[in-house]
Amino acid sequence: MHKFIFLLLTVLYSTVVNAQNFKRSGASAKDVTPKGWRIDCEPTGDLNKDGLADLVIMATPDSAVHIVKRTDGTIYNNNQPVLAIYWGKADGTYVLYKEYPKELPILDDDLMTMEGLMMDNTNKVTITDRGVLRIENHSDQAGSIVMDIEELYRYQNGDFELIGKLDSDYDRDTQSFNEASYNYSTGKVKFTKSYMDGRDDEVSWGTCPKFPKKKLGQHE
């Protein structure tokens, strides 16, 4: 029994260690990102309010299993993008705070390999002037429905807590645009429906849970 527990703990420890792909510290995004990975963005800003610029990295692995080449020559890297946050140090280097291997959406292998299907799915990570982490996802499905999701996280209480969210979609068939803006600080959500034909916007209000609704890395 004790031997079994020891082996189980060994496997779990190995899994945790192997899950950490980024180097613990370094002087730049290139310095800490695994060789061969594509660095998609590397914004800097003071996230933890210590007066030093922190670093956020969004990078895509290069595992050949998830790289698809269509017959027309188009290549899609469907690997799961990985998010990593580094605290800035006084000497100009960075030290890893946490890595998030499952936070960002990926492209669908089956959809992207179908000939003639146009699908655009992109991620964007930025840091606002107020030191808030913004994560955005844009999805354009077959040229008919456009969807955008934006989440705002603030470092507080020792973690990144969700303080706001914006869900929006545009349906080309009905020429309508729908938006839901959540403010978890106030517990209110604003719903807006607008039309391309010039009709007045339809606005309504609702309630939502006050933060922390979730933390970065948690999935609903």
Side-chain angles (χ1 to χ4, degrees), residues 49-60:
K49 302 298 187 293
D50 64 353
L52 300 172
D54 306 306
L55 171 67
V56 178
I57 304 171
M58 181 176 71
T60 303

Side-chain angles (χ1 to χ4, degrees), residues 21-128:
N21 299 294
F22 288 82
K23 293 181 182 178
R24 176 168 174 75
S25 61
S28 65
K30 183 178 181 181
D31 192 21
V32 300
T33 303
K35 186 178 181 181
W37 286 28
R38 185 186 70 220
I39 299 177
D40 301 305
C41 63
E42 46 183 304
T44 59
D46 189 3
L47 292 167
N48 58 359
K49 302 298 187 293
D50 64 353
L52 300 172
D54 306 306
L55 171 67
V56 178
I57 304 171
M58 181 176 71
T60 303
D62 60 346
S63 174
V65 176
H66 299 293
I67 295 179
V68 178
K69 183 176 182 179
R70 299 198 325 188
T71 56
D72 62 0
T74 305
I75 298 177
Y76 296 101
N77 185 343
N78 292 339
N79 280 279
Q80 173 87 53
V82 181
L83 186 70
I85 298 177
Y86 283 80
W87 296 143
K89 299 175 63 178
D91 62 0
T93 61
Y94 302 96
V95 60
L96 180 65
Y97 164 69
K98 195 175 292 186
E99 181 178 331
Y100 302 89
K102 299 292 185 180
E103 185 64 30
L104 302 169
I106 61 175
L107 300 177
D108 189 297
D109 293 42
D110 295 330
L111 288 176
M112 297 309 294
T113 54
M114 293 175 61
E115 299 299 326
L117 177 58
M118 299 296 294
M119 182 173 180
D120 179 33
N121 188 11
T122 58
N123 299 305
K124 183 179 179 181
V125 179
T126 56
I127 300 175
T128 71

Side-chain angles (χ1 to χ4, degrees), residues 132-136 149-154 156 160-167 180-189 208-214 216 220:
V132 174
L133 180 65
R134 178 191 288 120
I135 300 176
E136 302 171 75
I149 299 176
E150 175 183 317
E151 292 187 332
L152 299 173
Y153 292 89
R154 178 186 293 134
Q156 56 191 20
F160 283 91
E161 297 179 347
L162 182 69
I163 61 171
K165 184 177 180 180
L166 181 68
D167 287 339
S181 179
Y182 300 83
N183 187 328
Y184 297 115
S185 299
T186 63
K188 295 185 180 299
V189 54
C208 63
K210 287 192 174 183
F211 71 82
K213 187 173 188 290
K214 75 167 185 173
L216 187 62
E220 301 171 308

